[in-house]
């Protein structure tokens, strides 16, 4: 924030000096003489026209620099939207940079596709393999990790699956007993994590389960469908914490498995592919969200309301 203008300081000093001179005289000089001398001293201390013009120009330059960066278009995951994280960060980013962050929340696959199509300036997603492929193909400039949380399995409190930290045992039981499982089914980071676990188990026919449901929807809608069907689903912890008050019959069934880490990365879309993109604003956002000050804010987000953070910052571990 800019310091007070010298004109304000000058005006205050002038008012005080003239007032003092008018209200008191000295034994040697008439009050009128003292007032005139004081006014002359104050006038000499006033900023020159050149200094004033320079200060005004500096302020205008700062505002022009902010407004020139305009709007930043982002494609991101439903979890950063559903948790309220971006609603929390957006006004802070606007205040500090003058850039208006706007976003579309979809699955990671769709978010990256929007970047490949040049529809957005930047992507904030959570599927590392797809992110690295996005950069390697020349559509993304460089990947920066921002934060992480973890995936969990949620389901009915009194359901057949016992609480565990072994995600593989849960998936095997779902398949063997043909339990209801609601998948995102939308090529999102969450969906990719789920299919990766099936692949790791060597189970390729999981969709043959008659109670396997492909929602083709975002995380919030998938959780709602899971509750309605009394089934199980994989979700990121942040979205569950933000939504769980609405689902008193459901709880976390599996958490803590090393396979459930959920890392988020941010990537500017390559301006060499799309020269009209707002790459300057994208780079400003990356620097801003990876800064120690904003990383600290991310780490505190959700603590007051949910008793624990929804995301853990780790931009310093690049």
């Amino acid at each position: 924030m800019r310091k007070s203008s010298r004109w304000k300081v000058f005006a205050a000093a002038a008012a005080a000096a003239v007032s003092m001179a008018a209200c008191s005289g000295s034994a040697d000089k008439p009050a009128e003489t003292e007032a005139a001398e004081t006014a002359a001293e104050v006038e000499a201390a006033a900023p020159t026209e050149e200094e004033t013009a320079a200060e005004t120009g500096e302020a205008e330059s700062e505002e022009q620099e902010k407004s020139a960066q305009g709007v930043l278009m982002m494609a991101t995951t439903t979890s950063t939207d559903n948790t309220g994280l971006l609603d929390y960060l957006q006004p802070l980013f606007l205040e500090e940079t003058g850039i208006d962050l706007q976003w579309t929340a979809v699955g990671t696959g769709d978010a990256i596709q929007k970047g490949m199509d040049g529809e957005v300036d930047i992507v904030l997603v959570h599927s590392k393999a797809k992110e690295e492929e996005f950069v390697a193909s020349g559509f993304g400039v460089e990947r920066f990790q921002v934060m992480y949380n973890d995936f969990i399995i949620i389901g009915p409190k009194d359901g057949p699956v016992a609480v565990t930290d072994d995600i593989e045992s849960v998936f095997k039981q779902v398949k063997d007993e043909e339990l209801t499982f609601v998948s995102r089914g939308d090529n999102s980071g969450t969906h990719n994590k789920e299919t990766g676990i099936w692949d790791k188990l060597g189970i390729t026919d999981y969709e043959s389960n008659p109670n396997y449901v492909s929602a083709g929807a975002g995380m919030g809608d998938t959780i709602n469908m899971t509750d309605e069907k009394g089934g199980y689903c994989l979700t990121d912890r942040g979205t569950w914490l933000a939504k769980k008050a609405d689902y008193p019959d459901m709880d976390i069934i599996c958490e803590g498995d090393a396979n459930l880490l959920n890392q988020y990365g941010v990537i500017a879309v390559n301006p060499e592919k799309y020269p009209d993109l707002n790459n300057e604003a994208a780079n400003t956002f990356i620097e801003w969200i990876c800064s120690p000050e904003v990383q600290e804010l991310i780490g505190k987000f959700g603590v007051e309301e949910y008793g624990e953070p929804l995301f853990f910052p780790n931009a310093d571990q690049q």
Side-chain angles (χ1 to χ4, degrees):
M1 183 173 295
R2 293 182 54 79
K3 295 181 179 180
S4 298
S5 167
R6 287 183 59 194
W7 276 112
K8 294 180 180 178
V9 176
F10 162 66
V18 172
S19 175
M20 291 176 61
C23 294
S24 63
S26 89
D28 301 321
K29 298 179 182 179
E32 292 81 358
T33 302
E34 277 197 10
E37 291 177 351
T38 301
E41 292 173 357
V42 171
E43 182 177 357
T48 65
E49 290 184 5
E50 290 80 4
E51 290 173 330
T52 302
E55 184 174 304
T56 301
E58 181 183 346
E60 290 178 350
S61 177
E62 288 181 359
E63 292 304 314
Q64 288 172 358
E65 182 179 350
K66 286 184 177 182
S67 62
Q69 294 195 42
V71 175
L72 175 64
M73 299 301 299
M74 172 188 286
T76 187
T77 74
T78 58
S79 57
T80 57
D81 184 52
N82 288 341
T83 57
L85 177 65
L86 292 181
D87 288 324
Y88 170 64
L89 294 178
Q90 190 270 349
L92 301 177
F93 183 61
L94 178 63
E95 180 181 359
E96 292 187 29
T97 67
I99 302 170
D100 182 15
L101 174 65
Q102 300 179 14
W103 64 89
T104 300
V106 290
T108 286
D110 289 341
I112 288 178
Q113 187 61 54
K114 287 182 179 297
M116 294 179 70
D117 293 340
E119 296 179 16
V120 294
D121 308 302
I122 195 169
V123 298
L124 175 60
V125 289
H126 62 144
S127 183
K128 187 175 181 181
K130 287 187 176 295
E131 295 164 39
E132 291 176 339
E133 182 181 345
F134 178 60
V135 173
S137 66
F139 286 98
V141 179
E142 183 179 357
R143 176 185 181 274
F144 296 88
Q145 67 182 30
V146 177
M147 60 193 181
Y148 70 93
N149 57 17
D150 62 343
F151 290 106
I152 55 178
I153 293 288
I154 59 172
K157 291 180 178 179
D158 300 321
V161 180
V163 175
T164 179
D165 62 359
D166 184 357
I167 186 61
E168 295 184 3
S169 70
V170 173
F171 273 45
K172 286 178 180 177
Q173 185 175 352
V174 165
K175 178 63 170 62
D176 293 344
E177 300 180 16
E178 296 187 342
L179 303 178
T180 299
F181 188 95
V182 182
S183 169
R184 283 279 295 268
D186 62 350
N187 196 29
S188 63
T190 306
H191 184 214
N192 292 332
K193 174 63 72 172
E194 177 214 325
T195 57
I197 296 172
W198 290 121
D199 290 342
K200 185 176 181 180
L201 291 172
I203 301 175
T204 59
D205 62 341
Y206 54 89
E207 291 181 295
S208 66
N209 173 2
N211 295 309
Y212 182 91
V213 180
S214 182
M219 199 69 255
D221 290 336
T222 300
I223 291 174
N224 189 60
M225 188 180 298
T226 303
D227 180 61
E228 290 176 351
K229 292 181 175 295
Y232 299 87
C233 78
L234 180 73
T235 177
D236 66 282
R237 185 184 295 271
T239 301
W240 171 243
L241 289 174
K243 300 285 187 181
K244 71 174 184 177
D246 298 328
Y247 303 102
D249 297 328
M250 297 178 69
D251 208 345
I252 297 174
I253 303 302
C254 180
E255 63 181 330
D257 192 299
N259 291 314
L260 295 177
L261 179 68
N262 183 26
Q263 177 70 53
Y264 290 77
V266 63
I267 308 169
V269 179
N270 193 344
E272 293 183 3
K273 293 281 188 180
Y274 300 101
D276 293 335
L277 292 179
N278 197 344
N279 182 248
E280 183 178 359
N283 289 333
T284 298
F285 180 78
I286 291 172
E287 181 179 359
W288 182 82
I289 199 169
C290 292
S291 68
E293 296 80 10
V294 179
Q295 288 278 287
E296 183 178 355
L297 293 176
I298 291 173
K300 293 178 179 178
F301 178 69
V303 173
E304 183 175 348
E305 185 171 359
Y306 305 111
E308 60 182 293
L310 273 61
F311 301 93
F312 297 87
N314 65 343
D316 61 346
Q317 299 172 16
Q318 303 289 347

